[in-house]
Amino acid sequence: MTKMKMFSVLTFILMLGVSVQTASAQNLNEVLKKHMNETVQLVKAAETADEKRSILNDSYENMLETVRVIEEKASLNEDETAQLALLKSEITDRSNQLNGLDGYEQISDEDLDDYSDYSQQSMEQANNRTITIGLTTALLIIIILLLL
């Protein structure tokens, strides 16, 4: 891990620790929104459709890996487990749509910028409805997303 990335992670953890009074769901939603926003910006800046598709696939895979680690490492109650499963399902659906899997038609190369916007809006709406997991789990998700 580069020194800059480590500094960013430590700074973020420190800032988050200072603002523990903020609701954990809001923190998690903000991290996921930021992650998707950065993904959209990278997609729009990419020069080729292959790069755009790769950026989106990497983003989805990072989020799915984060969910997998949380499922393995965190002590979740029944509601949190269900909410994490819903998030995982949303991410998997976006990935399947992008790649034309599981009955979806693949997103065309010329529609990738629009699809990244759609995916961001869809994930934000899902997050606003569903994610109310505990602070410890939220911190774990935040740290994992920053490290990927």
Side-chain angles (χ1 to χ4, degrees):
M1 179 180 323
T2 67
K3 287 182 181 182
M4 186 58 141
K5 196 165 194 173
M6 180 61 98
F7 177 75
S8 295
V9 169
L10 291 175
T11 302
F12 185 77
I13 291 170
L14 247 164
M15 289 179 358
L16 191 60
V18 170
S19 63
V20 166
Q21 297 170 1
T22 306
S24 61
Q26 181 181 357
N27 288 336
L28 180 57
N29 285 339
E30 290 305 313
V31 168
L32 291 174
K33 286 178 185 179
K34 181 179 178 196
H35 178 76
M36 284 305 300
N37 185 50
E38 290 170 357
T39 298
V40 169
Q41 290 175 9
L42 289 172
V43 167
K44 290 182 177 184
E47 295 182 13
T48 68
D50 287 340
E51 289 176 291
K52 292 173 188 279
R53 196 173 298 279
S54 177
I55 291 166
L56 285 165
N57 275 318
D58 288 347
S59 176
Y60 296 139
E61 187 54 43
N62 285 344
M63 288 189 287
L64 287 171
E65 180 61 25
T66 299
V67 170
R68 283 190 283 272
V69 169
I70 299 304
E71 288 173 333
E72 292 173 9
K73 305 287 183 192
S75 298
L76 303 174
N77 65 35
E78 195 174 307
D79 288 339
E80 291 171 337
T81 301
Q83 290 169 9
L84 208 53
L86 185 57
L87 175 61
K88 185 177 181 179
S89 175
E90 293 271 342
I91 297 166
T92 301
D93 281 348
R94 296 298 153 261
S95 179
N96 288 344
Q97 288 174 355
L98 175 67
N99 297 300
L101 303 172
D102 201 25
Y104 291 105
E105 187 174 325
Q106 183 177 21
I107 302 299
S108 66
D109 291 349
E110 57 273 1
D111 291 335
L112 289 171
D113 285 346
D114 290 338
Y115 185 73
S116 67
D117 285 330
Y118 162 77
S119 184
Q120 178 183 22
Q121 292 169 357
S122 176
M123 291 297 296
E124 286 177 359
Q125 290 172 354
N127 292 340
N128 288 333
R129 293 193 307 267
T130 61
I131 300 177
T132 56
I133 62 179
L135 180 60
T136 303
T137 304
L139 287 172
L140 188 56
I141 290 171
I142 290 165
I143 291 167
I144 293 168
L145 275 175
L146 287 172
L147 294 175
L148 292 177

